[in-house]
Structures are given as structure tokens and as C-alpha cells.
Amino acid sequence: MSTTRALIIYGSVYGYTEQYATWLAEDLRALPQAPEVETVPAAKVTPEQVEAADVVVIGGSDYGGFLTGAPSLRKKIVPLLLPKRKRTAFFTVSFTGEYSKDLLNKAVAKSYTAELTEGQPVAHLRGGIKWSELSLTHKAALKGPVRAWLAAKPNPNEGIQQMLDCYGTEGADYTNRTSLEPFAQEVAKLI
């Protein structure tokens, strides 16, 4: 019996998505019928890696509804996945995670096509913000229009309130390996 190959592709700017990709790879390698698992940044994935995989997991950091690495993956990877109906799963990482589930589901479908994502496992995980590491562009967006938009929301959910609370601090980190477990179980079913 041949070993199943799993490929985890991730788009990460500040390391939170890469951390979840690493944890997922560790969880999959610990399965009784452990697959061969490879993790690769979205910018470096090759068509050959996708072709060799039996299961493909794609993770991306969310920045205002845009997933890191998604535009290039849509062009060079999605066409390889669709015709063969490869087993796929998707995850996003953002400050609010599941609190923004509806918006993030739309971002996944828009980024990778509804045809590919429909009915596939999807998880929305929480990352964080470390103000000292943010690019000037991200700082300006978060301190300006994003903060104003969040502050204008009546009855903000817990994730939005936590984001507002982290302004003026060093930041906050909500990465949590335990939150990955249900998704890891869904991916294991694809193996």
C-alpha cells in the first residue's frame, strides 16, 4: 500500500498562518496511517508538488477579505486541482477568526473558486497583532480606516472588541493549537 501524500500550502506575512501549517503537519504525521506531509509557502509551491499530492490544504492570512498568496494560487494551482477533483481543505488566519466566519467563507470561495471550495473542510483560526512587527502599510490601515470601521460597529462581537482593546498596547496573540483540532480531524478524514 502506498503512502498518502499531503501538501500544506500557506500564505503567511507575520508567521501566524505558518505556525498553524506547522501544527497541522505535526498532527497529520502523528496519525496511525501517517501520510507524507510537506509544508510550503504559497510563493514557492510548484505544480509538481501539487500533482504529487493526494490531499492539498491551503491556508492564508486574511487582510480585509484578501488571503495572502491567493491570487497566484488561483492562477497556477487551482487549475491543477479542479479537473482531478483532488481532496482539498482550506483555512484562514485572522485576528477575529470564527467571529468573522461568514466574511471569511466568502473570501475563501472568492479566492479559490466556489467550485473547488464547496463542501470541503474550512476553518477560520485566530492569529494576532504585534504592533512593532507590522509594516507601515498595515499599521496605517489598522490605525485609520479599520479602527474607525470597527469602532462604529454597534454591539461588536468579542473578536472585534478584543481587536479594539489591543490598540495602544503591544498587541495580542490568539493563536491556539487546540483550536486547530477539529480542522485537523476533518483533514485526517481526507487521508
Side-chain angles (χ1 to χ4, degrees), residues 32-155:
Q33 297 295 331
E36 289 180 23
V37 181
E38 181 179 9
T39 60
V40 63
K44 294 184 178 182
V45 67
T46 66
E48 293 78 20
Q49 289 170 304
V50 174
E51 290 287 349
D54 300 298
V55 175
V56 177
V57 180
I58 302 173
S61 305
D62 170 61
Y63 291 95
F66 297 96
L67 302 178
T68 303
S72 67
L73 292 177
R74 185 177 175 128
K75 287 179 188 170
K76 71 179 184 180
I77 301 304
V78 170
L80 299 173
L81 297 172
L82 275 173
K84 297 182 181 180
R85 302 304 297 165
K86 289 220 182 208
R87 293 169 279 180
T88 56
F90 304 87
F91 70 95
T92 65
V93 178
S94 67
F95 191 89
T96 55
E98 272 294 310
Y99 292 111
S100 301
K101 182 179 181 176
D102 293 339
L103 291 172
L104 293 170
N105 281 337
K106 289 176 186 173
V108 168
K110 177 179 75 176
S111 295
Y112 307 115
T113 77
E115 182 181 4
L116 181 62
T117 60
E118 188 173 336
Q120 301 303 315
V122 178
H124 305 297
L125 306 164
R126 296 194 69 191
I129 294 173
K130 188 169 182 180
W131 293 102
S132 62
E133 293 180 6
L134 291 180
S135 70
L136 290 177
T137 301
H138 287 154
K139 280 181 186 175
L142 286 170
K143 289 186 176 182
V146 172
R147 185 176 188 179
W149 179 75
L150 293 171
K153 288 192 158 296
N155 306 315

